[in-house]
Amino acid sequence: MNILENKGLCKKLQTAAIWVIVAGFLGLYISLLFNHNIWTDEAFTLQLIKGNAGEIIEGTAEDVHPPLYYLYAKLFAVIFGDALIVQKAAAIVPMLATLVLGATLIRKNFGDKAAVLFLLFLTCIPCTMEFAVQVRMYSLALFLVTVCGVYAYLAFRDGKKKDFLVAALSGLMAAYTHYFAFVCVIVIMGLLLLAIVIWNRKRLAAWAVSAALMIICYLPWFPYFIRQIQNVEQGYWISEITETVVWGYFTWAFDLSLVPGVVFIFLIILKSASTYNIIEIALKREQTQIYALLCMLTPALTALLGVAVSCLGTPIYRDQYIFPALGMLALFFAIAMRGAKNWILTPVIIFLLFVGAMQYKECFYQEYYSTYVPQTEEFFAENLKENDYILYNWEDFGFIYECYFPEKQLKYSETFDFSRDFDTAWFLDSEWMPDIGQEVLDENGLIMEYVGHYGVEHNEFDIYKIYKK
């Protein structure tokens, strides 16, 4: 930060320092792409985008999310192919766009120091890197909510029609990406309305037009939205809200497995930043400091609304649903702390970089070494022949196996005809699931031999070789 504040430093070097942060984290994200590890939700994405646009929308309507990310992912598949690395790269693009937003628009409006703080906070909090490369909608929702939040401020400050339009369109797209991104947008537009009513009522007509545009454009999805609410009310798997669950929201976002307890340091930093921010508002009443406070309220109110609805009815809120609002939290931190002294910011930045390094170490292990996927793929690359079958006994996991094995050779063990002609059947025996009875083997003249312990995702299984006597 001393370098950035040096008045004699060339502006080009300041620009280079900011873009080095962007390029550095992009490089880290790219380094996490070269693996075949996917989680259950990612497998759902990969299966869904095999269909056409109509099938994707209908399939999404049967789930609990809006369709925009899946259509976005489908576009990447159409242009670049259906390889897993293409979809992992597609997830990185919105995250990169958010970093570019920090290096350009946020820097332009709030200064170099705010841009650096925004980039470091957003990229180094423990939950960010994992979700930057997940084949899910979270990175896109993060980008769209952040764009909406920044342009809402510009619309209030400058009153330009373009700014109201961008805020409305990005908010609308966020609402079509994730429902808690939708909640974030409702909070942002509500806070914008409150600011307009209190300080600048001549912007009220532009806000009303923007809100009407968003409502009208969301109406086509509204029947599906109602259907999903009804499905959720009939029963949902998310745990009920308890004190432990609420504390888990904080540990999910701000704690590390390798260094437990950093969550407390983050909470101290955020509490200090909010106190400093409120003092600055009281002393100077600067517009940007008030905006920083509203940025902090975006994730806070989003989480509170999620918890309140979950307590009143069926639980619908979980830790990762706050992810779309983390860009606004980072912007709060950046604006609130940009005026702090170097002796305060230097240890904070060192702490953020340390957490970022540990976060990368955790994510690298998770992507490359946390499962038996490499060993499993190597085994079948060496052993699976044309007239072989892969049998599995965990029926609900079938759609995930389809992401790894040839569908024509993949069969559920309970419905497989063991009398059919085949060379070898490789049985994926998950614990607590139905085994293949000895009587079935005897009736068909088959032998079953143990091969080894393998796994896909967090489902570990024993592989058995089944062949004719």
Side-chain angles (χ1 to χ4, degrees):
M1 299 305 293
N2 287 328
I3 294 177
L4 288 176
E5 289 185 333
N6 189 335
K7 295 181 180 180
L9 185 67
C10 175
K11 192 69 174 177
K12 291 183 179 180
L13 289 180
Q14 298 178 31
T15 302
I18 291 172
W19 285 104
V20 162
I21 296 173
V22 174
F25 277 93
L26 174 61
L28 295 179
Y29 297 148
I30 291 174
S31 73
L32 299 173
L33 296 185
F34 304 98
N35 64 83
H36 288 168
N37 254 343
I38 59 171
W39 314 118
T40 303
D41 287 348
E42 293 179 294
F44 177 81
T45 301
L46 297 174
Q47 289 294 323
L48 190 60
I49 64 175
K50 290 180 180 180
N52 58 37
E55 292 168 337
I56 289 173
I57 292 174
E58 190 59 35
T60 307
E62 297 298 326
D63 190 44
V64 291
H65 293 298
L68 183 61
Y69 180 80
Y70 301 110
L71 297 173
Y72 163 83
K74 178 65 176 181
L75 181 63
F76 267 75
V78 170
I79 297 174
F80 301 108
D82 58 1
L84 176 59
I85 194 171
V86 170
Q87 290 304 317
K88 286 179 175 282
I92 285 179
V93 171
M95 191 68 197
L96 173 61
T98 307
L99 301 187
V100 171
L101 185 74
T104 54
L105 189 66
I106 290 174
R107 180 190 180 197
K108 177 182 177 182
N109 286 280
F110 304 107
D112 291 345
K113 188 183 288 189
V116 170
L117 292 173
F118 171 83
L119 292 171
L120 290 179
F121 187 90
L122 181 61
T123 53
C124 291
I125 51 179
C127 64
T128 304
M129 191 166 289
E130 175 186 354
F131 279 75
V133 297
Q134 270 204 13
V135 187
R136 296 294 284 165
M137 68 288 295
Y138 294 102
S139 59
L140 181 61
L142 171 73
F143 171 67
L144 293 170
V145 168
T146 307
V147 171
C148 180
V150 172
Y151 273 93
Y153 167 74
L154 298 179
F156 173 81
R157 187 189 68 183
D158 302 330
K160 294 181 179 179
K161 294 180 181 178
K162 180 201 74 174
D163 296 333
F164 275 101
L165 180 62
V166 174
L169 291 179
S170 58
L172 177 65
M173 293 172 69
Y176 269 105
T177 302
H178 192 280
Y179 285 130
F180 274 92
F182 189 5
V183 176
C184 291
V185 170
I186 292 172
V187 171
I188 289 170
M189 295 303 289
L191 292 174
L192 175 58
L193 174 62
L194 181 64
I196 288 173
V197 169
I198 294 174
W199 289 297
N200 202 337
R201 294 186 181 181
K202 63 182 180 181
R203 308 270 196 259
L204 193 56
W207 181 93
V209 171
S210 301
L213 173 65
M214 296 170 74
I215 293 171
I216 291 170
C217 291
Y218 204 72
L219 286 177
W221 184 251
F222 197 71
Y224 299 104
F225 175 67
I226 295 299
R227 184 199 303 178
Q228 290 174 332
I229 290 177
Q230 292 172 343
N231 290 339
V232 168
E233 288 176 347
Q234 293 172 4
Y236 202 35
W237 59 268
I238 293 178
S239 302
E240 65 179 84
I241 307 299
T242 64
E243 290 182 2
T244 302
V245 170
V246 171
W247 175 241
Y249 300 156
F250 294 97
T251 55
W252 174 85
F254 300 120
D255 214 2
L256 290 167
S257 298
L258 292 175
V259 191
V262 297
V263 58
F264 297 104
I265 301 177
F266 270 107
L267 293 179
I268 291 171
I269 290 172
L270 289 171
K271 175 58 178 175
S272 301
S274 63
T275 302
Y276 182 78
N277 175 236
I278 292 171
I279 292 173
E280 286 287 293
I281 292 173
L283 293 176
K284 302 178 182 179
R285 298 184 182 276
E286 288 186 358
Q287 188 180 82
T288 52
Q289 291 295 337
I290 296 173
Y291 172 62
L293 179 62
L294 299 181
C295 288
M296 182 184 69
L297 287 177
T298 300
L301 292 176
T302 298
L304 284 173
L305 286 170
V307 170
V309 173
S310 296
C311 289
L312 293 173
T314 302
I316 61 170
Y317 184 75
R318 58 182 303 208
D319 45 23
Q320 64 198 53
Y321 290 172
I322 199 62
F323 191 84
L326 292 182
M328 300 307 294
L329 184 65
L331 190 53
F332 150 73
F333 174 78
I335 298 173
M337 297 303 293
R338 63 179 180 170
K341 301 295 184 182
N342 286 336
W343 66 268
I344 295 175
L345 290 179
T346 299
V348 171
I349 289 175
I350 292 173
F351 168 73
L352 289 175
L353 291 173
F354 168 75
V355 173
M358 292 299 100
Q359 173 195 199
Y360 176 73
K361 186 175 181 179
E362 287 185 3
C363 288
F364 192 88
Y365 173 82
Q366 179 173 293
E367 292 292 331
Y368 289 98
Y369 300 112
S370 65
T371 72
Y372 287 99
V373 166
Q375 297 93 320
T376 303
E377 289 188 319
E378 182 180 356
F379 174 84
F380 281 107
E382 294 176 357
N383 292 282
L384 185 64
K385 302 299 188 296
E386 184 176 351
N387 200 34
D388 291 355
Y389 287 93
I390 299 174
L391 310 181
Y392 60 92
N393 61 349
W394 191 350
E395 186 174 13
D396 292 342
F397 232 73
F399 77 102
I400 298 178
Y401 292 139
E402 290 176 5
C403 297
Y404 289 97
F405 308 121
E407 289 188 39
K408 291 182 179 180
Q409 295 177 273
L410 186 64
K411 303 293 181 181
Y412 178 49
S413 60
E414 291 290 284
T415 59
F416 183 70
D417 180 7
F418 285 91
S419 66
R420 71 193 307 168
D421 180 46
F422 64 89
D423 291 337
T424 301
W426 304 99
F427 177 43
L428 313 183
D429 184 14
S430 297
E431 193 175 9
W432 311 116
M433 295 296 153
D435 287 324
I436 297 174
Q438 186 62 45
E439 66 279 4
V440 174
L441 299 174
D442 293 340
E443 287 175 5
N444 294 280
L446 300 172
I447 297 174
M448 186 167 71
E449 295 179 351
Y450 175 76
V451 173
H453 191 70
Y454 294 87
V456 167
E457 206 233 28
H458 288 309
N459 168 37
E460 297 183 17
F461 45 71
D462 293 323
I463 295 182
Y464 290 88
K465 180 180 180 180
I466 301 174
Y467 58 95
K468 296 178 181 179
K469 295 180 181 179

